[in-house]
Amino acid sequence: LVILCLLLSAARDSSGNIAIDVIKQLRPHLHPRPANNSEGGLETSGLCSKAPDWMPQLNILDFGAKGDGVANDTNAILLGILIAPPRSEWVGSRASAFLHFQSTSHIFLGGTGTVDGQGEDWWAAREEDYDVKSPKLLLMKDCSWCNIWGVHLKNSPQVHCQVEDSLHVNVVNVTVRAPAHSPNTDGIVIKESAEVQIKGCDVATGDDNVVLKHGCKSILVEHCSFLWGHGASIGSLGEQGSRRYETVSNVTFQHISFDGTDRAARIKTWQGGDGDVFDVRFMDLIVLKTPKSPLQIDQFYCPNSQHEDDCKISPEAVKIRNISFLRIKGTTSNRFALDMRCSKSAPCVDIKFQDIDIQADEPNKSINNVCENINGNSTDTQPTMCFDFQEDSTKV
């Protein structure tokens, strides 16, 4: 492996903002960009250049690297622990992430080392004031043909890994750890991106293990293990109402185990939203003892943590169609295996259930399904699926 550019720095820019940037540029053919991005952190886009005088450097030679063009220096670079500054040193910073890659391509970020976000103080502050703006641990924005491989992300102040406005990104064998009580610490977030693959990841966190937001298309999540957290989610969508048309399409979650998550697979949308969720497949899932319904579609999403006022009642809704739940087995402590609550004005249509076997986690405990305004078909589903809406009916 030829490392054409590597910068590992604990940096404070001229505005006093703190950032940590790691870059391994495999094809440094991009146009140069300014050193500082619009959010106050250091930008890793473009060609590498000499670091500013104010930037303290970590010399990888001190960690065993040879730099002779012959020796493999990967371990010296990637086997360490990268620790984010404490919250007290972030006060006043406009940086949105600890590691921020933007407007670049062909980046490889990998290794078996750990990035520790030291999020405890951030979580406490956010519990007291929900409006506290916490930084993400790793953000890839406007990137293409990029790879994140093997790294361990822990205790992020907020989201651990976010891929946004990007194309052809792989997230492989990444481990995420944060306590179950840590707020808004989603494991992997994909937003406004296409052709993204998440494979072999092990995620346990305080929010969604993996979540797909607005603008996601052609996403594959497979061969992952989710421990505590909220499971695999799409949404929430529609919170902006009719001001923005939000879509998620052509998505596959497959070969995933859920052991200790609140739920397994969930689609969540707000009333009054505008958009479309379609061509989604949840397949070959193993679910163990979820306290909430393992499989859920919720067109009335409105958590108190995000909306202190009364929830808006509206006939408008994000459309949900052509969703498949296939070969899903497991147990739950909830009395409902499937919780499908769709809007009367925009019912969920073409919803398919096949080879579903969700059992109660205790003997002789009854378990059922919830169905509201849903149309589709089912085969070999336990508990027996209930469809209460037909497209050609007059039921409202």
Side-chain angles (χ1 to χ4, degrees):
L1 176 65
V2 178
I3 301 175
L4 298 178
C5 171
L6 175 70
L7 173 64
L8 172 56
S9 61
R12 185 186 301 269
D13 69 13
S14 57
S15 302
N17 300 322
I18 301 246
I20 299 274
D21 292 307
V22 181
I23 180 170
K24 187 189 295 182
Q25 190 88 15
L26 298 182
R27 292 179 60 185
H29 59 281
L30 308 176
H31 297 294
R33 295 179 181 269
N36 294 335
N37 66 28
S38 60
E39 296 174 319
L42 290 179
E43 187 171 279
T44 61
S45 57
L47 291 173
C48 292
S49 58
K50 182 180 181 296
D53 293 337
W54 47 260
M55 181 186 294
Q57 298 295 302
L58 300 180
N59 191 337
I60 61 173
L61 300 179
D62 295 338
F63 295 87
K66 301 297 183 184
D68 57 6
V70 178
N72 186 340
D73 293 335
T74 303
N75 289 343
I77 297 165
L78 300 175
L79 292 179
I81 298 177
L82 194 60
I83 301 177
R87 180 172 180 265
S88 60
E89 296 186 33
W90 281 83
V91 174
S93 172
R94 293 179 292 116
S96 60
F98 179 54
L99 302 176
H100 189 168
F101 297 80
Q102 184 161 340
S103 302
T104 191
S105 67
H106 298 90
I107 291 291
F108 177 88
L109 172 64
T112 57
T114 297
V115 184
D116 186 345
Q118 294 201 99
E120 291 85 352
D121 289 346
W122 291 99
W123 306 335
R126 195 167 176 82
E127 288 291 344
E128 294 181 5
D129 182 2
Y130 186 79
D131 292 329
V132 168
K133 301 300 182 184
S134 306
K136 302 169 182 65
L137 196 57
L138 169 61
L139 173 63
M140 277 196 171
K141 187 173 182 179
D142 187 24
C143 296
S144 60
W145 301 102
C146 295
N147 293 274
I148 305 170
W149 175 84
V151 296
H152 297 251
L153 307 175
K154 63 181 289 189
N155 295 335
S156 175
Q158 196 208 70
V159 172
H160 283 78
C161 174
Q162 180 160 316
V163 176
E164 181 177 345
D165 192 24
S166 295
L167 181 66
H168 295 293
V169 176
N170 297 321
V171 183
V172 181
N173 294 343
V174 169
T175 300
V176 176
R177 287 291 184 274
H181 68 268
S182 56
N184 302 109
T185 54
D186 300 81
I188 301 171
V189 176
I190 311 299
K191 181 179 180 182
E192 296 181 298
S193 297
E195 302 295 342
V196 177
Q197 297 189 3
I198 301 171
K199 296 186 176 184
C201 294
D202 182 352
V203 183
T205 186
D207 209 304
D208 293 317
N209 298 72
V210 169
V211 57
L212 310 185
K213 301 286 190 178
H214 159 62
C216 286
K217 181 180 180 180
S218 301
I219 311 294
L220 172 64
V221 183
E222 67 176 358
H223 299 294
C224 293
S225 174
F226 297 162
L227 301 177
W228 58 90
H230 297 337
S233 299
I234 294 176
S236 63
L237 304 176
E239 188 176 4
Q240 301 297 320
S242 59
R243 296 191 298 274
R244 184 168 73 173
Y245 191 85
E246 300 189 330
T247 65
V248 172
S249 65
N250 190 22
V251 169
T252 299
F253 290 88
Q254 64 182 6
H255 301 292
I256 301 172
S257 65
F258 302 81
D259 187 358
T261 56
D262 293 345
R263 302 185 190 276
R266 175 167 65 156
I267 300 173
K268 46 186 178 178
T269 67
W270 295 72
Q271 290 188 79
D274 191 13
D276 205 357
V277 179
F278 61 98
D279 295 345
V280 175
R281 297 158 293 278
F282 297 98
M283 307 188 303
D284 300 296
L285 310 182
I286 301 296
V287 182
L288 298 177
K289 296 184 178 181
T290 61
K292 299 180 180 180
S293 301
L295 309 180
Q296 183 188 50
I297 297 177
D298 182 6
Q299 285 189 302
F300 304 96
Y301 184 75
C302 185
N304 292 334
S305 61
Q306 294 177 233
H307 201 279
E308 294 182 355
D309 300 329
D310 292 339
C311 296
K312 179 181 179 181
I313 299 176
S314 172
E316 303 299 324
V318 175
K319 300 177 184 64
I320 298 177
R321 57 189 173 89
N322 195 21
I323 312 297
S324 297
F325 299 89
L326 311 175
R327 300 181 298 278
I328 301 173
K329 303 183 184 302
T331 60
T332 181
S333 59
N334 197 274
R335 61 195 182 100
F336 299 120
L338 281 64
D339 185 1
M340 304 287 149
R341 301 176 191 264
C342 299
S343 168
K344 291 182 179 180
S345 58
C348 300
V349 297
D350 296 327
I351 313 299
K352 180 180 181 180
F353 300 89
Q354 180 177 317
D355 194 12
I356 309 295
D357 187 4
I358 305 294
Q359 303 287 339
D361 64 343
E362 298 177 2
N364 303 318
K365 182 178 178 180
S366 62
I367 188 171
N368 212 325
N369 296 321
V370 174
C371 305
E372 295 179 5
N373 305 301
I374 180 172
N375 156 267
N377 62 81
S378 67
T379 305
D380 297 328
T381 300
Q382 174 62 37
T384 302
M385 189 55 206
C386 47
F387 292 106
D388 69 343
F389 166 78
Q390 298 296 326
E391 288 186 278
D392 59 353
S393 77
T394 59
K395 183 176 179 179
V396 296

